[in-house]
Amino acid sequence: GGGLSFCARVPLREGDLLDLEIPLAGTDVKVPGVVVRAAPAAEGGLNIGVKFEGGSAAVRERVVAFIFKVQQEQRRRGK
């Protein structure tokens, strides 16, 4: 499982398939995903929610662990 969210200025819709390329500690990891949420953002563009689909379990787990680590660091800094 797992996924991520981001703000985009390109028109994406729920159900769109994406090939995500995520930079992790000096290497790019490729993870397929599907858009599960596309809602207007207050600052313009769209808030996009993506669920990881397919790909190897090891890569998905690595991405999820990295995102979790970043979130922990942001919480410690009060963001």
Side-chain angles (χ1 to χ4, degrees):
L4 55 83
S5 64
F6 57 91
C7 189
R9 298 210 181 269
V10 296
L12 294 171
R13 296 182 307 227
E14 290 182 21
D16 284 351
L17 301 175
L18 303 176
D19 287 320
L20 303 167
E21 197 167 302
I22 304 169
L24 296 181
T27 61
D28 289 347
V29 175
K30 294 181 181 180
V31 182
V34 62
V35 175
V36 295
R37 184 182 68 254
E43 62 278 356
L46 294 169
N47 285 322
I48 303 296
V50 176
K51 178 183 175 189
F52 298 143
E53 294 281 327
S56 77
V59 169
R60 285 193 314 271
E61 288 173 16
R62 185 172 164 210
V63 171
V64 170
F66 176 79
I67 292 169
F68 183 70
K69 180 181 174 186
V70 169
Q71 288 173 334
Q72 283 181 318
E73 291 172 3
Q74 288 176 338
R75 284 188 197 114
R76 273 186 242 145
R77 289 184 282 194
K79 290 188 176 185

